[in-house]
Amino acid sequence: MSLRAPGALVLALILSGCASRAPEMPAPAPEAPPAVQAPAPARPALSLPPLPAYTEVSPDEIRAAIAAMDPRSQGLSSWNDLAPALAQSLSYMATRPADGVALDRPGARVTNAEFTAALRQLSDLLPALDANPGLLAERFRWLRVDTAWTGYYEPVLRASRRPAPGYNHPIYRTPVDMHVTELAASGSGKQRMTYRVVNGPKGRVLRPYYDRAEIDTGGALRGKGLELAWAADPVDVYILQVQGSGRLSFTDGGEARVLYAAQNGRPYVSIGRILKERGELPPDGVNMPAIRQWLESHPGQAQALMNTNPSYVFFRLAEGGMGPLGCMGRPLTPWVSLATDRSVLPSGALVAFSAPVPQTAGGGAVIGLGLAQDTGGAIKGYRIDLFCGAGERAAAVAGHLDAPGPAWLLLPRNR
């Protein structure tokens, strides 16, 4: 039997969350799961137009944007400090076909070669940019796209290398019985089917992979030797999965980074949205600190609420302590790296931006130059996720940032 028709049916059931009603079907010969691209932290899609148009920016708007830019708002002492992050993007773009069309949207059709030229242009300008920021107007075309800003960060978890009193919430590596198969899909792009193979009365059959409730409450992965570490707080583990990477601070004084490895194929459901719909949080008060406070003040209901999000993320230990990696497979830079919808702002894009920081997270704004270096399944259309790094301020900004703000795609001027 062809995998395509039944596979698409199972995928539809996975996406609808109807795992218990998935029909049995002959299983294909297991294949090695293809590499799964790491998503940026997932959040619900925002209600914005699906096809943003790029518009040429007036000289006055460019001058005003440049005047407001401040590398210190990005944790940089000088624009020269952008050099390492630029090198990461240039290294990635060297792997892309120069004549490939990276962006094709109303008002902008851009090749990989043009994105690469913009990055090289900025790299050449860095030594002079502190003294003459007006070079950004002279050397680049500015195309505006109105965006909605959110943030993500690298959480730090208290953890133990072994099960211990007070440390009994596992952080799992990718299960060996989870298979991922690419399926042909209508239109552009592909879909993935994530499944496990079980023995049924008529032979081997496919089942959607375990959801959060089956893993955390039902113990579906318990005793399989998949634990990377044990955390002290189940809410910390949940937030780690939402953010996609983090640091483990061990009881023996050591530290390790964990990076996204895979996901169980189930759809992401925002527990913040559920709390809002239930009247537990006000419409204008849905943010990560408020969600955490609710979970911690309702310990008897916390796991049931988290189980309403069937999505589950698996991790791997970072080699050599390497920091969180974006979709390009390269380290992210706090306050510079951006997670974007790659059909709107492809990886490698150079972006000037102004992300408003709420007063509850310190106020002000992050205004400067960013690099599209990450993506995610919930990053759609206009939305941009700013990587805020690690620490208390990063957590505060990422937890509260949710507001509109401008972004400008920078392309080299034809000279």
Side-chain angles (χ1 to χ4, degrees):
M1 181 183 295
S2 168
L3 175 62
R4 180 171 180 177
L9 178 58
V10 172
L11 182 64
L13 287 163
I14 292 173
L15 294 178
S16 66
C18 299
S20 63
R21 289 178 285 168
E24 295 187 356
M25 63 198 72
E31 300 174 353
V36 180
Q37 188 169 306
R43 291 177 188 258
L46 300 174
S47 299
L48 293 166
L51 291 175
Y54 290 83
T55 56
E56 291 281 351
V57 179
S58 70
D60 287 345
E61 183 175 340
I62 294 174
R63 282 192 292 269
I66 292 174
M69 284 183 178
D70 185 352
R72 292 170 298 179
S73 73
Q74 296 181 265
L76 309 173
S77 60
S78 161
W79 289 123
N80 276 310
D81 294 342
L82 275 175
L86 271 171
Q88 299 291 353
S89 287
L90 281 167
S91 173
Y92 169 77
M93 292 307 295
T95 69
R96 313 302 296 165
D99 58 352
V101 176
L103 175 64
D104 193 0
R105 286 281 187 175
R109 191 174 192 275
V110 189
T111 65
N112 288 319
E114 290 175 281
F115 278 129
T116 301
L119 295 170
R120 287 177 178 161
Q121 179 83 280
L122 180 60
S123 182
D124 293 342
L125 292 178
L126 286 183
L129 205 54
D130 289 337
N132 187 9
L135 290 169
L136 293 172
E138 295 175 18
R139 303 295 178 86
F140 293 95
R141 291 175 58 212
W142 288 53
L143 300 179
R144 180 181 176 120
V145 56
D146 292 319
T147 59
W149 288 92
T150 51
Y152 64 114
Y153 75 109
E154 187 182 23
V156 179
L157 286 72
R158 294 177 295 124
S160 172
R161 300 181 193 274
R162 299 172 183 80
Y167 293 86
N168 52 12
H169 302 285
I171 299 168
Y172 288 117
R173 60 171 54 88
T174 305
V176 295
D177 65 342
M178 189 176 81
H179 304 283
V180 182
T181 298
E182 297 280 4
L183 301 172
S186 59
S188 60
K190 293 183 177 180
Q191 293 178 324
R192 287 190 177 97
M193 181 176 70
T194 305
Y195 62 95
R196 57 193 174 96
V197 181
V198 301
N199 292 320
K202 298 181 180 179
R204 295 188 308 158
V205 296
L206 304 186
R207 296 290 192 197
Y209 204 72
Y210 299 114
D211 65 14
R212 181 176 300 278
E214 291 171 309
I215 294 171
D216 281 347
T217 303
L221 301 183
R222 194 175 299 140
K224 296 187 176 183
L226 298 172
E227 296 86 355
L228 288 173
W230 284 261
D233 186 347
V235 176
D236 281 346
V237 177
Y238 183 88
I239 292 175
L240 173 68
Q241 293 190 22
V242 172
Q243 300 302 322
S245 65
R247 301 182 191 182
L248 306 182
S249 178
F250 290 118
T251 53
D252 61 10
E255 188 175 273
R257 273 194 165 106
V258 286
L259 305 178
Y260 173 97
Q263 190 259 0
N264 66 342
R266 303 296 185 119
Y268 176 85
V269 173
S270 166
I271 62 174
R273 176 178 57 79
I274 290 174
L275 288 174
K276 181 179 70 173
E277 291 173 350
R278 292 177 180 176
E280 299 282 356
L281 293 178
D284 60 349
V286 180
N287 52 60
M288 188 58 76
I291 293 170
R292 175 187 277 278
Q293 183 178 15
W294 191 96
L295 291 169
E296 291 178 346
S297 61
H298 297 80
Q301 304 172 54
Q303 188 60 58
L305 176 65
M306 291 187 288
N307 285 350
T308 62
N309 176 18
S311 174
Y312 205 93
V313 172
F314 304 103
F315 295 91
R316 61 184 174 90
L317 292 174
E319 297 179 3
M322 183 179 294
L325 306 180
C327 66
M328 302 190 307
R330 291 159 175 79
L332 300 173
T333 301
W335 313 108
V336 173
S337 296
L338 309 175
T340 64
D341 180 338
R342 289 189 291 184
S343 70
V344 175
L345 284 171
S347 298
L350 171 61
V351 180
F353 70 93
S354 178
V357 176
Q359 291 299 323
T360 50
V366 181
I367 308 174
L369 296 169
L371 301 168
Q373 295 182 326
D374 206 358
T375 191
I379 309 298
K380 300 296 184 184
Y382 287 77
R383 183 178 152 196
I384 299 179
D385 230 11
L386 173 64
F387 177 60
C388 302
E392 291 184 5
R393 181 169 186 264
V397 174
H400 288 92
L401 180 56
D402 187 2
W408 300 271
L409 176 63
L410 303 190
L411 299 172
R413 288 192 184 277
N414 295 324
R415 305 181 65 192

